[in-house]
Amino acid sequence: NPDLKWETTRQLDIGIDIGLFDDRLNFVYDYYYKKTEDLLLAVPVPLSTGFSELVQNFGELENKGMEFGIAADIIQNSDMNWNLMFNIAGNRNKILKLAAPFNVYNRDIYRYEEGISMYSFYFHEQTGVDPATGAPIWTDVDGDGTFNPNVDRKIVGDANPDFFGGITNNVNYKAFDLSIFFQYSYGNDQLNWNRFFQEHGGTRNTGYLSSQLDRWQQPGDQTMVPRMTSANYAGNLRPSRFVEDGSYMRLKNATIGYTIPIEFLNKLGAGISRARIYVTGQNLLTFTNYSGLDPEVTATASTALTRGIEFYTMPQARSIIGGIDISF
């Protein structure tokens, strides 16, 4: 296609660095605005052309956000050093121009259209379960008085966090050293797609999650899991209850070490100039309300237009590693 050209990106970055008290306390703030135009997209064309779509430069996308960081040397003396680092960042994403809305992934659960963010979840909004009948309560999106699964779908959230960041503590006390790193994310939605296939009311042979035990069973029950009848778990329904709050705080890494005194090494007479014993733990603790295995993982598919979905995805392992570093 001779009309195709490169995508174009314009970006503005503004930053400020402040160091105080002989640089023992440092602040960093950055703001950016990034706009991409002439996106290469498959644009629908009349079928009379013999094709259903044609790759064209047609699309615009913007990203804007900020990052703020603090680094502080809290204690500095001959016996002890304590350094603290904290950062927080946030990005706002918006689709500015598309030829036509489109859906992606299994059962078209991601929606792309003008005015919304990438990685937006496109579901039937379930607001509850009728305590009298056990039937799910759906939002009538078009307001015609009747719920129609083919048209009454809406954006119920997206996988983009409101903000995210990390906290690092590095402490040295005489021969001991300790490093602790926490990572966090807040405001991101996570799709527990496992629940769709294992909270199915008996309509599939994929087994059950324990959440099926929370189903409606008798009048007066208050729950979000409807009664076990195929009408409530039909394949064309995509209930929004599977889109959960994926916010989390995780102890990502912790290391404790001990450097063996040089006097002891000299007595060994092995020519060792330095030796340090350490133990490192990864993914030790996670604090979250997400009901799945791991709020941080994302199942990947044949498209990069997905994020924030757990679909029989292997969670990150908790591991503890020990060792000794020796220098001659």
Side-chain angles (χ1 to χ4, degrees), residues 117-255:
S117 300
M118 296 178 63
Y119 317 116
S120 292
F121 297 114
Y122 189 48
F123 277 69
H124 301 109
E125 185 177 42
Q126 181 188 345
T127 58
V129 168
D130 189 333
T133 65
I137 302 173
W138 307 104
T139 297
D140 177 17
V141 177
D142 61 6
D144 65 355
T146 303
F147 173 69
N148 182 345
N150 296 321
V151 296
D152 288 323
R153 295 172 68 182
K154 61 180 294 188
I155 304 300
V156 297
D158 64 74
N160 301 294
D162 294 337
F163 58 84
F164 58 92
I167 305 170
T168 302
N169 278 279
N170 293 313
V171 180
N172 291 276
Y173 178 70
K174 295 185 177 179
F176 292 92
D177 60 269
L178 174 67
S179 177
I180 300 176
F181 170 58
F182 283 92
Q183 125 184 340
Y184 64 89
S185 178
Y186 179 82
N188 54 295
D189 292 310
Q190 181 83 355
L191 175 57
N192 191 343
W193 208 218
N194 298 352
R195 287 181 60 193
F196 178 82
F197 289 95
Q198 291 190 270
E199 190 183 288
H200 51 69
T203 60
R204 301 185 181 92
N205 60 358
T206 50
Y208 291 98
L209 289 177
S210 60
S211 57
Q212 189 73 73
L213 297 173
D214 298 328
R215 70 190 184 279
W216 183 98
Q217 299 183 61
Q218 60 185 3
D221 284 351
Q222 301 290 328
T223 179
M224 284 294 289
V225 184
R227 63 181 296 185
M228 292 184 70
T229 175
S230 59
N232 296 333
Y233 297 89
N236 61 341
L237 295 173
R238 294 135 178 92
S240 62
R241 70 176 184 272
F242 303 137
V243 180
E244 305 181 19
D245 180 9
S247 304
Y248 69 91
M249 168 79 78
R250 169 166 282 171
L251 178 52
K252 191 67 175 178
N253 186 284
T255 300

Side-chain angles (χ1 to χ4, degrees), residues 12 20-21 55 68 80 95 97 109 156 185 196 222 224 232 235 253 258 265 300 310:
L12 169 69
L20 303 173
F21 312 113
V55 175
F68 175 73
M80 182 174 180
I95 301 169
K97 182 180 179 181
I109 54 178
V156 297
S185 178
F196 178 82
Q222 301 290 328
M224 284 294 289
N232 296 333
N253 186 284
Y258 175 73
L265 297 177
T300 56
E310 181 183 333

Side-chain angles (χ1 to χ4, degrees), residues 251-319:
L251 178 52
K252 191 67 175 178
N253 186 284
T255 300
I256 185 169
Y258 175 73
T259 301
I260 300 173
I262 188 64
E263 295 82 5
F264 180 81
L265 297 177
N266 291 335
K267 291 180 180 179
L268 294 178
I272 300 175
S273 61
R274 184 178 183 274
R276 173 177 172 268
I277 303 171
Y278 69 92
V279 176
T280 296
Q282 296 177 335
N283 302 312
L284 296 175
L285 294 171
T286 302
F287 306 93
T288 183
N289 290 324
Y290 176 63
S291 68
L293 296 176
D294 191 338
E296 190 180 352
V297 300
T298 292
T300 56
S302 58
T303 173
L305 300 178
T306 62
R307 180 185 292 179
I309 175 173
E310 181 183 333
F311 185 32
Y312 299 106
T313 313
M314 183 66 69
Q316 297 182 86
R318 179 186 295 121
S319 61

Side-chain angles (χ1 to χ4, degrees), residues 27-52:
F27 299 92
V28 176
Y29 178 83
D30 291 295
Y31 170 83
Y32 63 89
Y33 178 85
K34 181 178 180 180
K35 184 178 181 181
T36 303
E37 301 174 317
D38 299 322
L39 289 170
L40 288 165
L41 297 173
V43 178
V45 296
L47 292 177
S48 58
T49 63
F51 300 91
S52 61

